[in-house]
Amino acid sequence: MVGLGPKRKPSRKGSMADMPGSMVEEIKRLEQLFTVDTQKLKAITDHFISELDKGLSKEGGSIPMNPTWCMGFPTGYETGTFLALDMGGTNLRVCEINLPEEKGEFDIIQSKYRMPEELKTGNADELWGYVADCLQQFIEYHHEGEKLDKLPLGFTFSYPATQEYIDHGVLQRWTKGFDIDGVEGKDVVPPFEAALEERGVPIKLTALINDTTGTLIASAYTDSEMKIGCIFGTGCNAAYMETCGNVGKLAHMNLDPDAEIAINCEWGAFDNEHKILPRTPYDVIIDKDSPRPGQQAFEKMIAGLYLGELFRLVLVDLHEQGHVKMFEGQDISALKKPYSLDASFLSQVEEDAFENLAQTHDLFEKELNITPKRPELELIRRLAELIGTRSARLSACGVAAICKKKGYKTAHVGADGSVFNKYPHFKVRGAQALKEILDWESGRDGKPLKEGTYPIEIMPAEDGSGVGAALIAALTLKRVQEGNTVGIKDWEGMLKGTAAAKGDNKQVGGK
Ligand code: BGC
């Protein structure tokens, strides 16, 4: 343990003064590799817009732009009781949400279950069995001895799924390191429902949703300026509301061109054909060694799952190529383990407030059994900043592209996810990039631009996979009750099975 020393000042130019020349050169090389300047951000955004358009067209493109059959925003007056299930990477969360009469209000109870690591690479039966067991436990615990009508469920399934109906979804491909056999290319709802049926769990799946759509709808429930829902977490993605007339691939359905439908962009797949993103050799390795090479090019450069791995790959490379003699003579076996560092490791490096980077020094000793020298610590810190900054700036391109495409001069964007909520400076860096891309000079109040007045503001979202899923289930049942069953497969089952059939507005509905 080294002494903590004075707190770090904002500029660390002086800290570089005593560095060996080769180290300074190496930092410069990394800066060149990882920096995305304003001009490049603008070029990426423009290309992004054309790819969003392509995804909506009949021919399609590499960004899936999946119509979700969540048709329109909530009014804030939705009511009823719903279950929500969120199948995330680390946890499985089950909630019961009550939407009362009061505008924009909700009550929620929830339980979390661990998502066993083995399940992520196991088989489909085990997965659905485990998910159904958790739901059963939840119901038994919270409704012991009650005789229940089937409870309507919003299931947040945060992977790319094409949906012909809201209560159906064909998994296009696993992302975020999941690799379960026999699920890709199939509708995930029937095996899920079969597992519930087998156990006699009184639940009716009403809506299969993406976390971004949930985020959009949950945030719009309390904020009418909300235009986009984003997740910057283990994976990254966004959803927004489009008019049906703009969705070329739905033209054959002759929908009302002015009706609104939420689009799950699945923008993690942006630039899978490597036309514009400034990939480094380290990005190439991440892709090559992932379970789905060639997929999720954008996501692999910015999402939480990959930030620590990028950082690790650079450090291993610097040790091995010998030019800067990084960690010379030390045993780097712990660092050599793929995916051993997560985004929170990088966050801790960026949060180290001490001039001599004492916390980073201790972190490396404790977690990796490596004792970095002072110039190495400087490189480590700069590298973390570069990776974190690139992530925030590239993320902003997606937000700017949707805003430009839709002609939004002002908007609220609801964001959730561990990177957005916890990674240091992510929000400020993203806002700075938006400002550069969109050439803002004045704020939404018309006065000179300052923080808090940005025309497009990315802000913390409401709970998308809980409240959002419940709201989408409520909106779906409301449509069923009104006889608008477009994009709803088993609307009869929803009427029969749930309290909606009895017109019991306490359980489902709205006004
Ligand atoms: C998935 C998306 C999801 C995003 C954020 C991506 O890997 O493909 O469906 O919205 O992660 O969770």
Side-chain angles (χ1 to χ4, degrees):
M1 164 103 184
V2 292
L4 288 182
K7 287 270 183 176
R8 231 168 149 81
K9 293 175 215 83
S11 162
R12 291 181 310 282
K13 290 237 163 64
S15 332
M16 304 276 181
D18 309 325
M19 281 229 216
S22 59
M23 200 60 114
V24 175
E25 249 173 57
E26 187 53 49
I27 290 180
K28 278 205 190 118
R29 183 187 78 94
L30 293 171
E31 282 173 346
Q32 266 165 12
L33 276 180
F34 284 97
T35 303
V36 192
D37 65 17
T38 307
Q39 213 190 340
K40 185 73 181 172
L41 288 178
K42 288 186 172 181
I44 294 170
T45 304
D46 287 342
H47 187 56
F48 218 124
I49 298 172
S50 63
E51 289 297 300
L52 294 173
D53 287 338
K54 230 199 237 174
L56 289 176
S57 70
K58 202 163 148 240
E59 296 70 35
S62 65
I63 304 187
M65 302 299 275
N66 291 329
T68 64
W69 303 105
C70 165
M71 308 204 60
F73 284 112
T75 58
Y77 289 110
E78 288 66 25
T79 57
T81 300
F82 303 88
L83 289 181
L85 163 69
D86 180 12
M87 199 185 104
T90 21
N91 288 315
L92 209 138
R93 185 168 68 120
V94 183
C95 315
E96 186 172 310
I97 294 112
N98 179 252
L99 306 173
E101 304 270 318
E102 294 77 26
K103 185 170 193 229
E105 297 285 320
F106 59 86
D107 303 308
I108 184 163
I109 48 172
Q110 58 176 324
S111 297
K112 276 190 181 171
Y113 306 86
R114 197 178 68 87
M115 185 81 187
E117 208 46 46
E118 324 78 79
L119 267 193
K120 295 187 199 166
T121 49
N123 71 54
D125 288 346
E126 282 163 9
L127 173 73
W128 300 125
Y130 181 77
V131 172
D133 284 343
C134 293
L135 282 165
Q136 184 168 32
Q137 266 186 42
F138 182 89
I139 294 209
E140 281 171 1
Y141 183 77
H142 292 287
H143 294 279
E144 205 191 333
E146 288 174 44
K147 190 172 172 330
L148 291 175
D149 282 318
K150 278 197 173 178
L151 287 162
L153 169 81
F155 177 6
T156 306
F157 183 72
S158 306
Y159 307 89
T162 46
Q163 296 187 281
E164 277 170 54
Y165 309 97
I166 197 160
D167 48 340
H168 143 122
V170 175
L171 176 65
Q172 291 169 297
R173 70 198 69 83
W174 286 118
T175 59
K176 299 182 277 201
F178 270 66
D179 191 8
I180 303 170
D181 265 353
V183 188
E184 283 170 320
K186 295 194 187 132
D187 185 354
V188 298
V189 175
F192 168 70
E193 286 191 322
L196 291 176
E197 192 77 20
E198 252 171 50
R199 290 161 179 77
V201 189
I203 286 178
K204 175 71 191 153
L205 181 137
T206 307
L208 184 78
I209 72 158
N210 187 259
D211 50 359
T212 55
T213 319
T215 299
L216 172 68
I217 298 300
S219 301
Y221 186 53
T222 52
D223 178 350
S224 58
E225 284 189 69
M226 202 48 75
K227 299 279 193 268
I228 302 174
C230 289
I231 301 288
F232 303 111
T234 308
C236 74
N237 188 17
Y240 74 104
M241 204 57 86
E242 188 54 275
T243 46
C244 292
N246 285 337
V247 188
K249 58 188 176 189
L250 294 181
H252 63 284
M253 294 188 69
N254 295 319
L255 302 167
D256 170 1
D258 297 325
E260 290 186 305
I261 185 162
I263 301 292
N264 164 20
C265 301
E266 287 297 336
W267 75 19
F270 170 61
D271 205 33
N272 278 351
E273 46 295 284
H274 309 315
K275 285 203 179 129
I276 189 113
L277 290 173
R279 294 211 306 164
T280 67
Y282 308 107
D283 297 301
V284 175
I285 300 176
I286 292 234
D287 183 42
K288 193 167 63 57
D289 294 346
S290 73
R292 298 287 180 281
Q295 304 291 348
Q296 304 294 95
F298 186 57
E299 176 162 280
K300 284 171 178 159
M301 293 176 79
I302 66 183
L305 179 59
Y306 306 102
L307 297 182
E309 181 63 2
L310 268 171
F311 176 77
R312 190 191 71 80
L313 286 170
V314 177
L315 293 181
V316 171
D317 182 41
L318 295 188
H319 174 78
E320 288 180 346
Q321 43 130 305
H323 177 57
V324 284
K325 305 199 170 25
M326 194 81 183
F327 310 137
E328 196 183 20
Q330 300 204 48
D331 171 11
I332 69 152
S333 48
L335 184 67
K336 281 198 131 177
K337 194 166 159 259
Y339 288 90
S340 51
L341 305 183
D342 60 14
S344 76
F345 188 96
L346 229 62
S347 300
Q348 292 178 64
V349 173
E350 283 225 50
E351 264 158 8
D352 186 348
F354 292 99
E355 184 57 37
N356 61 357
L357 296 170
Q359 282 172 351
T360 307
H361 175 275
D362 294 351
L363 185 69
F364 269 70
E365 281 201 328
K366 189 164 145 261
E367 304 288 332
L368 298 168
N369 220 0
I370 290 174
T371 307
K373 299 196 193 77
R374 180 64 195 269
E376 291 170 343
L377 285 170
E378 289 297 338
L379 182 141
I380 287 167
R381 168 63 166 250
R382 188 71 190 116
L383 177 61
E385 286 170 2
L386 288 168
I387 292 174
T389 304
R390 188 185 73 162
S391 163
R393 287 171 73 79
L394 290 179
S395 299
C397 294
V399 174
I402 296 181
C403 290
K404 270 182 116 174
K405 172 181 161 51
K406 296 299 295 171
Y408 297 144
K409 296 276 179 260
T410 62
H412 286 170
V413 176
D416 207 346
S418 50
V419 173
F420 182 77
N421 291 323
K422 296 197 197 129
Y423 197 92
H425 320 301
F426 186 85
K427 298 186 184 83
V428 180
R429 289 165 177 169
Q432 167 65 28
L434 275 182
K435 170 174 172 267
E436 290 171 40
I437 300 168
L438 299 169
D439 295 313
W440 290 333
E441 274 161 18
S442 50
R444 60 164 70 205
D445 53 1
K447 297 193 183 136
L449 193 69
K450 65 172 195 296
E451 229 192 288
T453 70
Y454 287 166
I456 290 164
E457 222 179 310
I458 310 184
M459 45 182 47
E462 293 291 345
D463 170 12
S465 55
V467 179
L471 282 165
I472 296 173
L475 292 169
T476 306
L477 283 178
K478 188 152 177 271
R479 285 211 285 125
V480 170
Q481 286 169 326
E482 290 167 357
N484 173 3
T485 55
V486 61
I488 305 174
K489 190 174 179 190
D490 186 22
W491 57 269
E492 284 175 314
M494 288 179 202
L495 270 180
K496 256 191 263 140
T498 65
K502 302 174 192 160
D504 177 358
N505 231 16
K506 266 200 223 102
Q507 192 153 338
V508 289
K511 50 180 180 184

